[in-house]
């Protein structure tokens, strides 16, 4: 079994992952269950949270995480993605965690691997483990997902996080509102709107950074202008439900999509998301390694 998309999972598997990850957050400590197993990390794009939490998750399960330093690898000598995949497969890993800038590239590599492949983000397509850890964070805070209204705001067009979250949260019974600057709203994700409308009365507000590395041309807004027009400020958060919480998958650009005081606000669950990332990736690795 591979985890390429939220669509890779049945409803029962999603429920099981949320339960297992929740147990991992409360149990702490490690396990030797997967001693002797090897998890390869192949990241063609930068990462702090996803790479380190997959490595920590593998280690906490007793497996050995090994990360290919892409900048020092034979990829830089012109080796193709397919030949890199075949080369890594020949070494017999028990799982491959992969991030790449091209939509669908992780699925292509999965065709060449004999082990489970986990999508750690492919282009603008999907980032399923981020959505799963976000759902865990919301479920722990509210005790449920069903019936929640979640506003996802910012660069929706380039966001694999928004795409996976929308699929997962809607499957779990939440209402998802999308908002952002018109050039950053995609044609295939209809229903986007203004941030003030999206935030009004919402139970949770998830902010996304502008993915400048994927922009054909600059937006032209200064950071202060962006924050005033599209960012989450104290004034804007006050329009959400009184109990509303703030999420951000990271990395944050403080003072652009999120005001400094909101990032560190008591209602910010951003570091809880990071902590839950390890637990959810333990649950996901457990599911795939035990299959
Ligand atoms: N949320 C997320 O994918 O962060 P990283 O790019 O740091 O892994």
């Amino acid at each position: 079994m591979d985890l390429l998309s939220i669509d890779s999972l049945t409803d029962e598997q999603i429920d099981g992952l949320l339960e297992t990850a929740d147990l991992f957050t409360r149990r702490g400590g490690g396990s030797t269950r997967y001693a002797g197993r090897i998890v390869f990390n192949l990241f063609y794009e930068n990462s702090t949270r996803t790479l380190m939490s997959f490595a920590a998750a593998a280690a906490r399960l007793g497996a050995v995480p090994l990360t290919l330093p892409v900048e020092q690898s034979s990829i830089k000598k012109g080796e193709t993605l397919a030949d890199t995949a075949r080369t890594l497969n020949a070494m017999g890993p028990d799982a491959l965690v992969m991030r790449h800038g091209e939509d669908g590239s992780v699925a292509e590599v999965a065709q060449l691997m004999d082990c489970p492949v986990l999508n750690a983000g492919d282009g603008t397509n999907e980032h399923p483990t981020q959505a799963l850890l976000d759902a865990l964070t919301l479920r722990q805070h509210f005790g449920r997902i069903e019936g929640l209204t979640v506003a996802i705001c910012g660069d929706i067009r380039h966001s694999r996080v928004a795409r996976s979250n929308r699929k997962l949260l809607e499957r779990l019974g939440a209402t998802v509102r999308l908002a952002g600057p018109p050039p950053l709203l995609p044609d295939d994700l209809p229903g986007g709107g203004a941030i003030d409308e999206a935030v009004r009365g919402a139970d949770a507000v998830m902010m996304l950074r502008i993915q400048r590395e994927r922009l054909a041309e600059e937006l032209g807004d200064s950071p202060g202008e962006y924050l005033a027009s599209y960012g989450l400020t104290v004034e804007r958060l006050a329009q959400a439900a009184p109990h509303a919480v703030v999420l951000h998958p990271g990395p944050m650009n403080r003072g652009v999509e999120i005001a400094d005081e909101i990032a560190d606000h008591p209602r910010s669950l951003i570091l809880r998301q990071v902590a839950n990332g390890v637990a959810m990736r333990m649950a996901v690795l457990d599911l795939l390694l035990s299959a």
Side-chain angles (χ1 to χ4, degrees):
M1 177 189 174
D2 301 311
L3 176 54
L4 303 175
S5 157
I6 289 300
D7 304 328
S8 306
L9 297 166
T10 64
D11 291 348
E12 291 71 27
Q13 285 170 329
I14 290 169
D15 287 345
L17 288 172
L18 291 169
E19 284 295 321
T20 306
D22 188 50
L23 282 177
F24 281 135
T25 63
R26 286 188 271 122
R27 201 174 70 189
S31 152
T32 54
R33 176 157 187 209
Y34 294 104
R37 308 282 193 101
I38 295 174
V39 177
F40 279 180
N41 291 316
L42 176 62
F43 278 56
Y44 284 79
E45 285 189 338
N46 293 355
S47 172
T48 297
R49 281 146 285 268
T50 313
L51 175 58
M52 292 305 290
S53 60
F54 262 117
R60 286 219 184 273
L61 291 171
V64 176
L66 295 176
T67 299
L68 180 69
V70 164
E71 286 300 316
Q72 294 147 42
S73 74
S74 293
I75 293 160
K76 294 293 162 189
K77 300 177 193 167
E79 192 159 62
T80 65
L81 178 59
D83 281 332
T84 300
R86 290 186 194 101
T87 301
L88 295 178
N89 190 52
M91 297 177 197
D94 295 286
L96 174 74
V97 180
M98 181 177 158
R99 170 173 288 190
H100 195 279
E102 295 295 322
D103 295 21
S105 53
V106 181
E108 283 171 28
V109 163
Q111 299 290 324
L112 302 171
M113 302 296 294
D114 297 321
C115 65
V117 173
L118 297 95
N119 183 1
D122 63 324
T124 62
N125 183 37
E126 283 227 31
H127 193 349
T129 58
Q130 179 68 46
L132 287 162
L133 74 88
D134 292 339
L136 173 65
T137 305
L138 288 170
R139 201 179 80 141
Q140 285 179 336
H141 185 83
F142 289 105
R144 65 189 165 90
I145 304 273
E146 191 162 13
L148 295 180
T149 296
V150 181
I152 305 180
C153 307
D155 185 355
I156 308 290
R157 176 179 285 275
H158 301 108
S159 180
R160 53 201 179 204
V161 173
R163 191 175 297 274
S164 290
N165 256 299
R166 188 182 197 208
K167 283 185 182 181
L168 181 60
L169 291 172
E170 289 186 345
R171 270 177 75 174
L172 293 170
T175 298
V176 176
R177 298 177 183 162
L178 303 172
L184 301 183
L185 289 174
D187 308 329
D188 67 335
L189 278 177
I195 182 167
D196 292 297
E197 285 169 31
V199 167
R200 194 168 301 127
D203 300 294
V205 183
M206 180 185 298
M207 299 307 297
L208 304 172
R209 75 180 176 94
I210 310 168
Q211 298 194 33
R212 295 192 188 279
E213 68 276 24
R214 299 191 211 277
L215 286 183
E217 53 189 63
E218 275 295 318
L219 283 182
D221 296 12
S222 70
E225 285 168 343
Y226 188 91
L227 182 67
S229 302
Y230 303 109
L232 191 59
T233 58
V234 173
E235 296 73 25
R236 220 165 243 137
L237 183 59
Q239 301 303 310
H243 56 256
V245 294
V246 177
L247 295 96
H248 194 309
M252 283 186 285
N253 290 132
R254 289 170 182 260
V256 185
E257 75 275 7
I258 187 164
D260 233 356
E261 55 270 56
I262 298 294
D264 304 319
H265 197 279
R267 285 198 266 140
S268 162
L269 299 182
I270 294 168
L271 290 178
R272 169 53 48 192
Q273 289 173 270
V274 176
N276 281 345
V278 178
M280 181 50 77
R281 286 163 181 135
M282 287 174 73
V284 164
L285 283 171
D286 184 37
L287 175 70
L288 271 62
L289 289 172
S290 63

